[in-house]
Amino acid sequence: MIHAKNIHKFYDKLEVLKGVDLHIKKGEIVSIVGASGAGKTTLLQILGTLDKPDHNADSSLTINGRDILELQNVQNKSSKQERNFKIITWTGSIYIILLAVYLLFFRTKIFDDTLRLVASISLFLPIISMLFYYNRYFKKKSKQDKVLSDFRNLNLGFIFQFHQLLPEFTALENVCIPAHIAGKKPSETEKEAVKLLTYLGLSHRINHKPSELSGGEQQRVAVARALINKPDVIFADEPSGNLDTHSAENLHQLFFQLRDEFGQTFVIVTHNEELANMADRKLVMVDGQISN
Ligand SMILES: Nc1ncnc2c1ncn2[C@@H]1O[C@H](COP(=O)(O)OP(=O)(O)O)[C@@H](O)[C@H]1O
Ligand SMILES: [Mg+2]
């Protein structure tokens, strides 16, 4: 399901991930534990395609068979597309500077005589070609970005420590958002959201706003939101970090229930010993590497 090989990440000169290898099977619940600052959140963000690892000839990341680094253009830094972009930007900039110098110092000559036509064409043709090229380049890039964000929206779900629900929307509306983004039919989405919220024991709370819900309830709404597009993998970053013991236990049981019922894969960063030990596999992160 998830295969990561030799993942590196630098923040300036600080190497936060020092070559992480990770293989997670479908339907597995894996917990990641480790001291604060060990790189857990960074790793989760990269596995969740929310962040890019640093370029490394030996790195790879596939989720559900999709080559994520290719989608993110991480391994293509030296590709033809990027190289052309650099060449065109550099030659174009030099041309424009020369042109500006020419116009400043020899301005009058351009408009003098029969050279007028040749001069105008030679002035504007390169600039117009550059504009065309940039237009095509950025269109192509935004198409690539869309492929990635569609992949993320349809295949991956996220649960964070702070639920990050939108305060002005009801529980039901919050849950529906990822499905609306995916362009699913609103009537079906709403039915599915009600079903999910009911399954999570929130049927009497669907029209409440987050501020009217308890911490545990808010987190269950966030779980429903993460599940609405039926993702194959759910990434959770300290999902119960903000909950009391009882709500935390309920949430943890829910993860296992969901896995048994829907076969979902979970990657959970947690400081909660009990949750970490309940997982099928516990990975310990030490200083940017997985130590077991
Ligand atoms: N956006 C960032 N810019 C610079 N440094 C960062 C950034 N995000 C995290 N770090 C640093 O990377 C290290 C690992 O952070 P993180 O992955 O959040 O660790 P953990 O989740 O295990 O506590 C920390 O030293 C942190 O300060
Ligand atoms: Mg963290």
Side-chain angles (χ1 to χ4, degrees):
M1 171 62 58
I2 302 176
H3 296 283
K5 199 180 130 212
N6 202 16
I7 298 294
H8 288 263
K9 180 75 181 177
F10 283 84
Y11 286 119
D12 290 323
K13 283 187 186 134
L14 179 71
E15 192 175 18
V16 177
L17 297 180
K18 302 175 179 172
V20 172
D21 291 304
L22 191 72
H23 301 282
I24 297 173
K25 291 197 283 274
K26 183 170 164 45
E28 212 179 1
I29 296 188
V30 173
S31 64
I32 302 177
V33 301
S36 179
K40 305 182 298 295
T41 294
T42 305
L43 176 62
L44 207 72
Q45 299 271 331
I46 288 175
L47 295 177
T49 76
L50 296 168
D51 199 356
K52 292 182 189 183
D54 283 306
H55 175 75
N56 187 303
D58 203 21
S59 300
S60 63
L61 173 60
T62 59
I63 300 177
N64 242 351
R66 279 308 271 272
D67 184 340
I68 302 301
L69 301 191
E70 194 193 314
L71 280 181
Q72 290 176 323
N73 224 2
V74 169
Q75 299 305 55
N76 292 346
K77 279 249 162 72
S78 56
S79 74
K80 231 167 116 188
Q81 192 188 344
E82 297 293 317
R83 212 176 48 221
N84 287 348
F85 181 80
K86 271 188 200 148
I87 292 173
I88 291 196
T89 303
W90 274 104
T91 47
S93 312
I94 292 168
Y95 179 80
I96 287 169
I97 291 168
L98 290 176
L99 188 65
V101 171
Y102 180 76
L103 283 176
L104 273 176
F105 293 102
F106 304 95
R107 197 171 25 198
T108 50
K109 275 190 191 161
I110 293 178
F111 301 103
D112 269 1
D113 42 37
T114 50
L115 278 177
R116 187 188 295 177
L117 185 68
V118 180
S120 329
I121 290 173
S122 70
L123 288 183
F124 292 108
L125 213 55
I127 293 178
I128 289 169
S129 329
M130 251 176 101
L131 289 177
F132 267 113
Y133 173 80
Y134 278 130
N135 181 30
R136 246 190 43 204
Y137 176 85
F138 285 111
K139 260 198 194 142
K140 201 167 160 190
K141 250 205 140 58
S142 70
K143 213 163 125 194
Q144 279 174 344
D145 290 346
K146 189 166 169 349
V147 173
L148 182 66
S149 59
D150 284 350
F151 172 82
R152 186 188 304 131
N153 192 35
L154 290 173
N155 295 278
L156 314 178
F158 297 90
I159 302 165
F160 303 98
Q161 176 173 6
F162 301 101
H163 53 76
Q164 300 187 340
L165 299 173
L166 298 177
E168 63 273 34
F169 291 100
T170 64
L172 183 66
E173 289 163 345
N174 266 287
V175 173
C176 290
I177 290 169
H180 290 327
I181 293 173
K184 295 188 175 166
K185 231 169 132 184
S187 58
E188 273 165 29
T189 295
E190 200 157 298
K191 243 190 256 162
E192 185 63 32
V194 171
K195 216 166 89 187
L196 268 171
L197 286 165
T198 306
Y199 177 81
L200 299 178
L202 290 168
S203 57
H204 57 304
R205 287 276 185 266
I206 55 177
N207 292 317
H208 287 63
K209 293 190 174 167
S211 61
E212 299 159 351
L213 301 171
S214 74
E217 287 171 339
Q218 290 173 359
Q219 202 55 313
R220 275 181 285 156
V221 175
V223 172
R225 181 186 53 185
L227 294 174
I228 188 74
N229 284 339
K230 301 192 174 68
D232 294 318
V233 191
I234 290 160
F235 295 97
D237 196 354
E238 303 191 21
S240 50
N242 211 21
L243 299 182
D244 60 82
T245 321
H246 180 68
S247 309
E249 263 170 28
N250 283 342
L251 184 69
H252 300 160
Q253 265 159 26
L254 179 65
F255 292 156
F256 289 84
Q257 217 172 311
L258 287 168
R259 187 266 301 272
D260 294 342
E261 198 146 324
F262 304 110
Q264 269 146 342
T265 308
F266 283 82
V267 186
I268 309 170
V269 168
T270 185
H271 279 129
N272 186 298
E273 282 276 325
E274 206 184 311
L275 173 59
N277 293 327
M278 274 161 84
D280 303 327
R281 206 143 53 92
K282 178 166 96 172
L283 304 175
V284 182
M285 261 200 106
V286 181
D287 196 20
Q289 281 181 317
I290 288 171
S291 71
N292 58 336

